Amino acid sequence: MKLLFVDNSRTIRTGMSMLLSQRGHTVHAVGTGQEAIENLKTNAAAFDLVIMDLYMPLMNGHEAAKIIRELPDLCKKIPIIALTASEDPRDLEVAKKAGMNDFVIKSNDNQ
């Protein structure tokens, strides 16, 4: 699969890109919701899936997903997976309302 991975943490972007690439996926990683939107605006066909952190500065994943869903054609259909350290079930509800298709909890080292 061709993945667009969005996370403001350089460490997480690097680690997840390596892990996903080792599993045979092509990964394009960006650090902001705005970068994700720009990539999809210019070439939505280049991606099969978006994996996006929910909590990023400037524009969070919820806001970015809403904007992506308002873009034309392919952007309405591309699956978006929310990625967060939060285990709050309300986050899943907000993610779904924003147009995200599913929700994955990443490790939270503070626990």
Side-chain angles (χ1 to χ4, degrees), residues 88-107:
D88 188 336
R90 293 174 289 192
D91 281 332
L92 174 59
E93 184 179 321
V94 172
K96 295 263 185 186
K97 285 182 182 177
M100 295 178 158
N101 300 85
D102 212 339
F103 186 92
V104 175
I105 298 172
K106 62 183 173 181
S107 173

Side-chain angles (χ1 to χ4, degrees), residues 20-41:
L20 293 166
S21 293
Q22 288 171 349
R23 294 212 156 84
H25 303 292
T26 302
V27 181
H28 180 71
V30 297
T32 69
Q34 187 61 39
E35 287 176 292
I37 292 165
E38 291 305 317
N39 275 270
L40 290 167
K41 274 184 182 178

Side-chain angles (χ1 to χ4, degrees), residues 1 8 15 21 23 28 32 51-52 56 58 63 66-67 69-73 75 77 81 87 100 107 109-110:
M1 291 184 86
N8 61 296
S21 293
R23 294 212 156 84
H28 180 71
T32 69
I51 302 172
M52 185 171 352
M56 298 178 286
L58 305 177
E63 295 164 332
K66 284 180 187 177
I67 292 169
R69 291 303 186 218
E70 293 171 359
L71 295 174
D73 304 326
C75 295
K77 297 177 184 172
I81 307 297
E87 295 187 32
M100 295 178 158
S107 173
D109 293 335
N110 296 327

Side-chain angles (χ1 to χ4, degrees), residues 5 7 12 51-55 81-85 104-106:
F5 184 79
D7 197 294
I12 291 173
I51 302 172
M52 185 171 352
D53 189 13
L54 286 182
Y55 296 102
I81 307 297
L83 183 66
T84 185
V104 175
I105 298 172
K106 62 183 173 181

Side-chain angles (χ1 to χ4, degrees), residues 8-16:
N8 61 296
S9 167
R10 182 177 297 185
T11 303
I12 291 173
R13 284 195 313 270
T14 301
M16 286 297 289

